[in-house]
Amino acid sequence: MRELTPTEAIDLVGRFEAGQELPEQMRADVRLLGSLLGRVLRESGSPGLYDDVERLRTATIQAYTDETPEAFERAAAIADGFSIERADEVARAFTAYFHLVNLVEEHQRVRILRERGDRPSRSGTPDTIAAAFERLSSEVGEETALARLQALRFHPVFTAHPTEARRRAISTSIRRLSELLSEHDDASEGGTESRRAERRMLEEIDTLWRTAPLRREKPSPVDEVRSVMSVFDETLYTAVPRVYRRIDDILQGEHAGSRAPIVKPFVRVGSWVGGDRDGNPFVTASVTRKAAAIASEHVLLGLERTTQRVGRGLTLDAETTPPSDALVALWHRLRAADEDAAAEIAERSPDEPHRRILLLLARKIAATRTRDADLAYRDPEHLLADLRTVQDSLVAAGAARQAYGALQRLVWQVETYGFHLTELEVRQHSAVHRKVLDELRAGGARSELTEEVLEVFRSIAFVQERFGPRAAGRYIVSFTQSAQDLANVHELAGYAVGPGEQPPVLDVIPLFETFADLQAAPGILAEIVSHPAFVDRLDATGRRLEVMLGYSDSSKDVGPVAANLALYEAQAKIATWAEAERIELTLFHGRGGALGRGGGPANSAILAQPPHSVDGRFKLTEQGEVIFARYGDPDIAMRHIDQVAAAVLTASSPSIERRNRGAAEAFADVAQTMDVASRERFFALVKAPGFAPWFATVTPMEELGHLALGSRPARRGLSVESLEDLRAIPWVFSWTQARINLAGWFGLGTALDAVGDEQRLRDAYEQWPLFRTMIDNVAMSLAKADERIARRYLALGDREDLAQLVMDEMLLTRSWVERITGGDLLGNKPVLQRAVKMRSPYVDALSLLQLRALRALRDAHGENPTPDAEHQRLLLLSVSGVAAGLQNTG
């Protein structure tokens, strides 16, 4: 097939871009940043780079739009024809383009959110807390709805595996570009400020191009802690109280800000970063202590600055706003403890009693941060008591708006974050506990492992003493298989502190991960509530119990369809058991970012849960690039929190519970048929002789171990002969890189074919939320897959039988999903469909470069055991680019 002339190429690209139907402002942003990148490539790239990038871009667009084998072969030939140095540069250029497109999409989302304001969507499902409260009130009455709102809990838990494929330096550069794009929006077109913003964007894109795209070394766990802290500093600290404020404004109307808020703080932020040691030898007891100290430093510094700012603004004269007796007493107490500072502040604010108090409180917070025992607060409750004394004094003096304005926002921040910021959670494998206890019970010398495990409990005790019980009180046991696995944690804590000493306060949480463990969960929980190690703690907490469900290993264990159905069934049984036992249950969802690991829109997943499995409480893991996608921008973070909290509130409404219960009963036969058929199909693939080494050959699974993504090892063991030893993240990431996305859909086509009744399946899609969520997520997964690219990856392995099995299932699944939804993949989600289509040909370019590198590495493997460094670098560059293009690692 001949190469297009320059005029034909421009016409083709123009037609492709016009067909994406982008909003005009978004189209202008893509054009602007794309043109600036092109200029950087011409100025800073090697000679001819820009032309080569355009050649490959045009070819992949033509292959995508024409869908002819000849067009695709020509694009592949161009990718294969570059020198290795040129291929490296081209891969970097396409990756930079994706960073810019991701930025534009985020910018457009923020633009839409600001234009929309507090208006609910047109979907018919409440997607704001205010709308959810209104709907719930209509069903259960306003008093009951208010009680449920005030008991609401949303608990995201940040995890570090994996961190983003892109370096933090790249993320920082993109954030600066985002600010410049906002400045460009505000400037008049063609004016001085507009040109200045464009010049600075050009400079920033040039910096982006010149910044090494790959980390040289894996981040340490402490590096990962600091990375998560950046999200708190830039977004969460201010965004969460803004969410509370916005909801209270809507619910209280004209009275908002002049009386006590209705909204109670419902967000709690957890973290496994620095606490999750299951399979990560780099997370030690020392790291856990450092993680807690870093988080505390960040929040105390934030509270100190906020208290100073609020205090400086409280310039209320004692004559117009007289202090209460309690405030005067507080002043005397603070002055006695900090005489010199009190005298100086009193001189600067002679008749401003409320201001004086806040400025002294800021000094006490600073002393807490620097560990000045004479001034420091013992715990956040004492700070809250002082702030409420100020609040009450203002209300009594008639200054309610000052009491419930900026001061209330500070109160919400203390209530949400305390002195610890994130509730640090420790996780360890049950087998480790058993091994250590066997050694301790036998007596004799203690191994290094045993000493480290015991030191973890001492670290938890230290963190609780230093920052309060909320700072580190949850201990998660991976692969829980009996109540004894949980009791072992309490026994180990006793060994750690010694006879007569008080062990740390622990809520021990079972994690059920595999298919078998999920099925056994209700029986194990029944043992727990009567086990002597748990009875007292249950009584002390008002019979509160947390149970974690793992999405990753169950999906790798039996396939995504059977895993989803098993998770639903386990939740339904656990919720029924908890209700009968009068247990206040919180289900903790170990969802990954990718669809193969339980990812996808959280709000639709919440509304598909079994009755009483949510009950106003939702906790989930937030991983890798998902953290920055959902919480990296304040407007997007606020929208996400509002949406999820609205779904949590709505899920407990009688109508939703009736709908979900009725649908599960009505389509129980469909679920049973799908479960059996999908598992058989999945096992036919993963249990086939030689599957594990074949999988490692046809995907970049082995090479991903060389990418400095996170501190945690990619495998539990050294061998790829056993799929069980492979972690869920590289399992999903590898299939994603190969443009197959198998972990998100394999087995569904066969499951739907086994049901066979198209109309019944369409009815299920309309009436059964769990099924609809499953189908929509698979549609998203298949839309990001590519049949032609997938075939080339599968051809790397000498197993036509397995390759054909994968492709047959992909085509069967696609066919059924399109028949059930009544159109193209994602046809009912036009914004998402547009985003996928706009990116696909550019991702294809990177996939072709990755295939080239992977073939070279596979061909050389037998002859030369030393890795080809140039092709390995190209492969890793393309991995980073594909991850940016698909916005997914694992």
Side-chain angles (χ1 to χ4, degrees), residues 759-826:
Q759 186 54 54
R760 183 144 170 76
L761 290 171
R762 284 180 177 170
D763 291 342
Y765 184 70
E766 292 299 322
Q767 301 167 28
W768 184 15
L770 177 69
F771 184 78
R772 186 182 188 93
T773 299
M774 189 187 304
I775 294 295
D776 286 348
N777 284 346
V778 167
M780 191 188 313
S781 190
L782 287 172
K784 291 184 177 183
D786 186 278
E787 181 186 342
R788 296 171 303 180
I789 299 284
R791 289 187 186 279
R792 292 196 168 224
Y793 277 93
L794 295 174
L796 294 170
D798 189 22
R799 289 293 298 272
E800 180 58 30
D801 57 332
L802 297 182
Q804 195 58 50
L805 181 60
V806 170
M807 293 312 303
D808 287 347
E809 188 66 21
M810 178 188 278
L811 296 175
L812 181 63
T813 304
R814 180 185 291 270
S815 171
W816 270 109
V817 169
E818 289 179 343
R819 285 154 66 186
I820 289 169
T821 59
D824 294 340
L825 295 176
L826 301 179

Side-chain angles (χ1 to χ4, degrees), residues 411-526:
V411 168
W412 278 329
Q413 285 169 320
V414 178
E415 289 175 324
T416 300
Y417 300 117
F419 290 167
H420 56 276
L421 174 55
T422 59
E423 299 181 11
L424 188 63
E425 301 187 351
V426 169
R427 181 172 73 133
Q428 183 57 280
H429 200 291
S430 58
V432 172
H433 296 150
R434 288 193 292 270
K435 182 178 180 179
V436 169
L437 276 173
D438 286 345
E439 182 181 300
L440 289 168
R441 290 164 182 162
R446 294 178 177 181
S447 66
E448 187 178 336
L449 173 64
T450 295
E451 287 295 349
E452 173 60 27
V453 167
L454 295 179
E455 190 60 29
V456 169
F457 290 97
R458 298 180 192 116
S459 296
I460 293 171
F462 167 81
V463 171
Q464 289 187 354
E465 175 67 24
R466 174 81 176 85
F467 307 113
R470 268 180 59 193
R474 291 183 178 85
Y475 196 109
I476 298 156
V477 181
S478 297
F479 290 91
T480 298
Q481 297 177 329
S482 69
Q484 189 58 46
D485 283 336
L486 306 183
N488 288 345
V489 175
H490 291 290
E491 187 175 348
L492 285 167
Y495 273 108
V497 299
E501 296 294 323
Q502 192 67 29
V505 177
L506 294 174
D507 289 310
V508 185
I509 299 167
L511 169 51
F512 301 112
E513 298 182 85
T514 67
F515 181 71
D517 291 345
L518 286 170
Q519 291 185 312
I524 295 172
L525 291 173

Side-chain angles (χ1 to χ4, degrees), residues 194-227:
S194 174
R195 290 195 300 273
R196 174 179 169 276
E198 288 185 22
R199 177 186 58 74
R200 292 180 62 200
M201 281 190 277
L202 188 62
E203 177 187 346
E204 197 61 59
I205 293 171
D206 192 52
T207 299
L208 182 67
W209 168 251
R210 294 172 183 274
T211 299
L214 299 176
R215 296 184 183 95
R216 295 188 183 277
E217 296 179 355
K218 286 177 175 286
S220 71
V222 173
D223 292 332
E224 292 170 333
V225 171
R226 295 192 188 281
S227 182

Side-chain angles (χ1 to χ4, degrees), residues 692-693 695-696 701-702 714-727:
F695 162 63
M701 188 275 286
E702 287 283 3
R715 295 198 297 271
R716 291 185 172 94
L718 299 176
S719 172
V720 295
E721 294 300 320
S722 171
L723 193 62
E724 287 73 23
D725 282 337
L726 183 69
R727 295 195 178 281

Side-chain angles (χ1 to χ4, degrees), residues 542-563:
R543 295 185 69 76
R544 289 198 297 271
L545 182 68
E546 196 169 299
V547 177
M548 186 173 183
L549 304 173
Y551 286 63
S552 307
D553 283 282
S554 57
S555 183
K556 184 165 67 74
D557 196 22
V558 294
V561 177

Side-chain angles (χ1 to χ4, degrees), residues 367-385:
T368 307
R369 180 171 57 83
T370 58
R371 305 188 70 172
D372 179 349
D374 291 337
L375 283 180
Y377 276 111
R378 188 166 74 245
D379 52 50
E381 284 68 34
H382 283 79
L383 171 58
L384 280 171

Side-chain angles (χ1 to χ4, degrees), residues 424-752:
L424 188 63
E425 301 187 351
V426 169
R427 181 172 73 133
Q428 183 57 280
H429 200 291
S430 58
V432 172
H433 296 150
R434 288 193 292 270
K435 182 178 180 179
V436 169
L437 276 173
D438 286 345
E439 182 181 300
L440 289 168
R441 290 164 182 162
R446 294 178 177 181
S447 66
E448 187 178 336
L449 173 64
T450 295
E451 287 295 349
E452 173 60 27
V453 167
L454 295 179
E455 190 60 29
V456 169
F457 290 97
R458 298 180 192 116
S459 296
I460 293 171
F462 167 81
V463 171
Q464 289 187 354
E465 175 67 24
R466 174 81 176 85
F467 307 113
R470 268 180 59 193
R474 291 183 178 85
Y475 196 109
I476 298 156
V477 181
S478 297
F479 290 91
T480 298
Q481 297 177 329
S482 69
Q484 189 58 46
D485 283 336
L486 306 183
N488 288 345
V489 175
H490 291 290
E491 187 175 348
L492 285 167
Y495 273 108
V497 299
E501 296 294 323
Q502 192 67 29
V505 177
L506 294 174
D507 289 310
V508 185
I509 299 167
L511 169 51
F512 301 112
E513 298 182 85
T514 67
F515 181 71
D517 291 345
L518 286 170
Q519 291 185 312
I524 295 172
L525 291 173
E527 292 177 34
I528 288 172
V529 294
S530 57
H531 197 290
F534 297 94
V535 171
D536 290 344
R537 183 60 186 159
L538 277 173
D539 290 343
T541 61
R543 295 185 69 76
R544 289 198 297 271
L545 182 68
E546 196 169 299
V547 177
M548 186 173 183
L549 304 173
Y551 286 63
S552 307
D553 283 282
S554 57
S555 183
K556 184 165 67 74
D557 196 22
V558 294
V561 177
N564 266 290
L565 295 171
L567 281 158
Y568 184 92
E569 183 181 1
Q571 289 179 73
K573 288 181 177 178
I574 292 169
T576 300
W577 165 83
E579 193 174 19
E581 291 286 339
R582 297 179 295 105
I583 295 287
E584 185 183 295
L585 175 70
T586 298
L587 287 175
F588 180 9
H589 302 263
R591 294 160 59 94
L595 298 173
R597 304 190 56 239
N603 51 326
S604 58
I606 293 166
L607 291 171
Q609 300 305 306
H612 298 295
S613 63
V614 178
D615 273 353
R617 297 173 295 279
F618 187 65
K619 184 177 179 183
L620 83 165
T621 50
E622 299 277 36
Q623 302 189 7
E625 73 276 8
V626 170
I627 294 174
F628 295 92
R630 290 178 174 169
Y631 302 97
D633 177 90
D635 291 281
I636 292 174
M638 289 172 64
R639 172 62 176 152
H640 173 67
I641 293 167
D642 199 9
Q643 267 190 316
V644 172
V648 172
L649 198 60
T650 304
S652 65
S653 62
S655 61
I656 294 294
E657 292 188 342
R658 280 195 305 270
R659 181 196 69 179
N660 291 359
R661 183 184 293 110
E665 293 170 356
F667 295 102
D669 58 326
V670 173
Q672 176 64 23
T673 301
M674 290 176 63
D675 175 51
V676 173
S678 68
R679 263 189 292 150
E680 288 179 356
R681 185 66 159 175
F682 187 74
F683 291 157
L685 177 68
V686 301
K687 293 184 182 295
F691 169 77
W694 174 79
F695 162 63
T697 301
V698 301
T699 71
M701 188 275 286
E702 287 283 3
E703 289 74 15
L704 291 178
H706 301 296
L707 192 62
L709 282 175
S711 67
R712 191 178 182 187
R715 295 198 297 271
R716 291 185 172 94
L718 299 176
S719 172
V720 295
E721 294 300 320
S722 171
L723 193 62
E724 287 73 23
D725 282 337
L726 183 69
R727 295 195 178 281
I729 289 165
W731 164 255
V732 174
F733 198 178
S734 301
W735 287 119
T736 303
Q737 285 289 316
R739 303 292 297 287
I740 298 170
N741 288 342
L742 179 144
W745 55 261
F746 192 88
L748 179 62
T750 295
L752 298 173

